[in-house]
Amino acid sequence: MAVPVPLLNIVYYHGHLCPELAVGYRVGLVAQKELGLTRETAKDFFVLAENMTSAIDALQFMTGCTIGNQNFFAYDLGKHVYYFGSFPAGSEPRQEALRVALINPIVDLSCQGEIEKRIVAGRASAADLEEYQQAIDDAVREILSIPDESLFVKSRVSLRPPQTACRRDYIKCSCCGEVVAVQKTVVGEDELLCQVCAARKIV
């Protein structure tokens, strides 16, 4: 199967090629085409994702918006829905964002469920592995070849940009002694606790 060079770079970063990675690649192409979002312009943009799949690795690699740079945010709602917006230059509380949603169930490989179970259990035959890999290759091939309108629905929405912290101050949790960002602590009785220790005290 012919794979575009940019996607090959993503595969090297991610570790393997799968349908979700191909979806993230296609979504990234949409953002590049419609917004000019690239690794060079990433500092001006943010991305919101409604899943925690391989697709978000592809998007972080392609756009330069990353979790570590605090301009990529993932919430696992189980949907291949993505929002792309720019941080406001002024005081406007909301900005127009591009919304891209997957409408083609091509990533669904549930038809290979029994083979997946045998693979996980270490009982898959060579024929099973070949059939499963063929199903993955077929899905990836179709994702890479079909037009945008058969894969996604795109719209423009009004969105409040996420809040980001420019710098984090750190302190040791008064209970466990582990280092935690001050902004993420919970105030106890004359102490600052990490959220895990605070939850334990409540229980």
Side-chain angles (χ1 to χ4, degrees):
M1 176 174 51
V3 177
V5 171
L7 180 54
L8 284 176
N9 292 332
I10 297 168
V11 172
Y12 179 77
Y13 164 73
H14 178 69
H16 64 266
L17 179 58
C18 61
E20 285 85 359
L21 200 72
V23 167
Y25 169 72
R26 287 294 303 271
V27 174
L29 290 178
V30 171
Q32 288 178 348
K33 179 181 178 182
E34 300 209 6
L35 300 176
L37 174 52
T38 65
R39 298 179 69 86
E40 290 71 32
T41 62
K43 62 180 176 56
D44 299 322
F45 291 90
F46 64 87
V47 181
L48 303 177
E50 292 187 1
N51 67 83
M52 293 285 284
T53 71
S54 303
I56 68 174
D57 274 0
L59 280 174
Q60 288 183 97
F61 189 93
M62 288 185 73
T63 66
C65 294
T66 68
I67 291 171
N69 284 327
Q70 297 188 66
N71 57 353
F72 194 106
F73 305 85
Y75 308 94
D76 195 3
L77 304 181
K79 298 177 68 176
H80 281 282
V81 175
Y82 307 91
Y83 300 84
F84 301 87
S86 56
F87 288 110
S91 58
E92 284 294 321
R94 302 184 74 86
Q95 298 287 315
E96 183 181 81
L98 171 66
R99 183 179 189 269
V100 181
L102 180 70
I103 56 171
N104 191 321
I106 193 168
V107 294
D108 180 25
L109 295 180
S110 58
C111 59
Q112 301 295 325
E114 290 304 315
I115 292 180
E116 280 186 333
K117 290 177 184 177
R118 291 197 292 274
I119 292 172
V120 171
R123 295 185 287 102
S125 66
D128 285 337
L129 295 174
E130 184 176 351
E131 181 179 341
Y132 190 72
Q133 187 61 55
Q134 187 61 55
I136 290 174
D137 291 346
D138 290 345
V140 169
R141 187 178 294 107
E142 188 169 357
I143 290 167
L144 294 179
S145 63
I146 62 179
D148 284 352
E149 57 269 22
S150 298
L151 199 57
F152 306 118
V153 61
K154 297 176 285 186
S155 59
R156 300 280 177 159
V157 298
S158 177
L159 196 66
R160 186 183 299 274
Q163 297 294 313
T164 61
C166 294
R167 185 178 66 83
R168 290 178 183 268
D169 296 322
Y170 290 92
I171 194 171
K172 292 181 76 171
C173 170
S174 300
C175 182
C176 67
E178 296 171 354
V179 174
V180 59
V182 174
Q183 298 94 323
K184 297 296 183 179
T185 56
V186 177
V187 179
E189 295 181 6
D190 300 321
E191 59 186 1
L192 289 177
L193 304 171
C194 70
Q195 295 182 38
V196 174
C197 289
R200 286 177 180 156
K201 282 182 175 283
I202 293 173
V203 174

